[in-house]
């Protein structure tokens, strides 16, 4: 809701930086791997050899769109795989996100990018959410002077294409973020006295296959700090009574 409100209010400043399309795809894979694994699916990625090593564009906004599209693809796929592919043509970097779900009803094709409209995952099943994801993607695409379209490929499912104008840069341009090695299957002690915050944090960490021990007060946290199983302690900076 806050993201959508900011976009509606005109908070759409562009921040172009040099970035590597291949590294961006790897980052999308890392951000999506938890939910992909949880649902027993596969995310297939491919970057065309025609893509420049680095380009100049608003990588943050492009990444937000792609994370949303891939998340939707995973949400609406029951079995099998989803895909993210990247090509470069006529000064544009072109992303294609395809799912193998039930597709989008013809009656919904014109309104799927409208706010508060949700797809139906399966017959009679409406997924949780606000119905703002694709609306935000469309607004961000407009800010980028990009084109976001929906297609219906043979074989079913839905195919979203994002074509963004970018400028090819030299091979020495820095990527937005260094390559990181994802950490999996950690034992994490979560110290958080706000129940809603704890629920959100646990959801994100468990989606990445981490094991969480939650405590809500300082005293039990102190008792568990010495536990050798803890690979990480995620600690609220302000606890009641401490």
């Amino acid at each position: 809701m806050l993201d959508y409100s900011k976009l509606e209010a005109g908070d759409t400043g562009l921040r172009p930086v040099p970035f590597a399309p291949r590294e961006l795809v790897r980052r999308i894979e890392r951000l999506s791997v938890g939910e992909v694994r949880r649902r027993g699916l596969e995310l297939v990625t491919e970057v065309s050899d025609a893509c420049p090593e680095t380009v100049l564009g608003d990588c943050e906004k492009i990444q937000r769109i792609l994370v949303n599209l891939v998340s939707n693809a995973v949400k609406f796929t029951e079995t099998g795989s989803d895909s993210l592919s990247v090509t470069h043509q006529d000064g544009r970097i072109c992303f294609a996100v395809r799912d193998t779900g039930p597709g989008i009803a013809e009656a919904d094709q014109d309104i799927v990018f409208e706010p508060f409209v949700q797809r139906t995952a399966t017959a009679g099943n409406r997924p949780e959410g606000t119905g703002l994801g694709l609306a935000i993607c469309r607004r961000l695409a407009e800010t980028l002077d990009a084109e976001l379209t929906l297609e219906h490929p043979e074989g079913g499912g839905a195919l979203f294409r994002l074509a963004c104008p970018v400028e090819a840069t030299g091979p020495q341009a820095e990527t937005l973020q260094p390559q990181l090695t994802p950490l999996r299957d950690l034992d994490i002690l979560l110290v958080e006295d706000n129940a809603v915050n704890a629920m959100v944090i646990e959801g994100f960490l468990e989606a990445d296959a981490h094991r969480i021990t939650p405590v809500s007060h300082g005293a039990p946290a102190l008792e568990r700090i010495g536990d050798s199983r803890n690979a990480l302690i995620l600690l609220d900076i302000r606890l009641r009574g401490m």
Side-chain angles (χ1 to χ4, degrees):
M1 288 292 291
L2 290 173
D3 284 344
Y4 186 76
S5 297
K6 289 178 181 178
L7 291 170
E8 287 292 281
D11 183 12
T12 55
L14 287 174
R15 291 183 289 273
V17 296
F19 70 94
R22 287 173 177 78
E23 171 57 24
L24 174 59
V25 170
R26 285 192 290 267
R27 196 152 59 242
I28 300 297
E29 288 181 298
R30 291 196 295 268
L31 291 169
S32 308
V33 66
E35 185 65 9
V36 170
R37 288 178 178 175
R38 188 185 71 81
R39 293 179 60 85
L41 304 174
E42 180 183 11
L43 178 62
V44 179
T45 62
E46 180 181 7
V47 181
S48 167
D49 292 337
C51 278
E53 286 297 318
T54 57
V55 296
L56 185 67
D58 194 326
C59 184
E60 179 183 350
K61 288 183 175 59
I62 295 172
Q63 176 173 308
R64 288 179 64 189
I65 294 173
L66 293 177
V67 166
N68 209 319
L69 293 179
V70 170
S71 176
N72 271 0
V74 173
K75 181 191 302 184
F76 292 100
T77 301
E78 294 295 328
T79 59
S81 64
D82 301 308
S83 65
L84 167 61
S85 60
V86 191
T87 58
H88 184 264
Q89 186 176 8
D90 300 327
R92 291 191 165 203
I93 188 166
C94 304
F95 302 90
V97 178
R98 179 177 179 177
D99 65 56
T100 53
I104 299 175
E106 185 174 353
D108 294 337
Q109 293 177 20
D110 293 333
I111 62 172
V112 71
F113 291 106
E114 294 298 319
F116 308 110
V117 173
Q118 290 181 276
R119 293 170 58 182
T120 299
T122 56
N125 178 25
R126 183 171 295 277
E128 295 181 0
T130 60
L132 286 174
L134 289 177
I136 289 173
C137 288
R138 172 60 64 84
R139 297 294 193 278
L140 289 171
E142 291 170 351
T143 300
L144 295 166
D145 195 23
E147 186 178 10
L148 178 61
T149 57
L150 166 63
E151 299 178 15
H152 300 274
E154 293 184 8
L159 172 62
F160 289 88
R161 294 188 185 275
L162 175 69
C164 299
V166 293
E167 178 183 340
T169 61
Q172 300 303 317
E174 296 181 357
T175 56
L176 181 62
Q177 294 181 356
Q179 295 188 20
L180 303 175
T181 301
L183 299 174
R184 302 291 171 219
D185 305 324
L186 299 180
D187 288 293
I188 299 176
L189 176 63
L190 172 62
V191 186
E192 170 61 67
D193 59 6
N194 182 294
V196 174
N197 290 351
M199 179 180 67
V200 172
I201 294 168
E202 285 186 68
F204 277 115
L205 294 175
E206 289 175 349
D208 281 341
H210 299 304
R211 295 173 294 276
I212 314 303
T213 301
V215 295
S216 59
H217 299 288
L222 290 174
E223 295 175 1
R224 290 173 170 82
I225 278 179
D227 192 330
S228 61
R229 291 176 300 176
N230 293 327
L232 177 71
I233 299 173
L234 189 56
L235 180 65
D236 191 336
I237 63 171
R238 185 177 300 161
L239 290 170
R240 294 190 300 271
M242 299 294 292

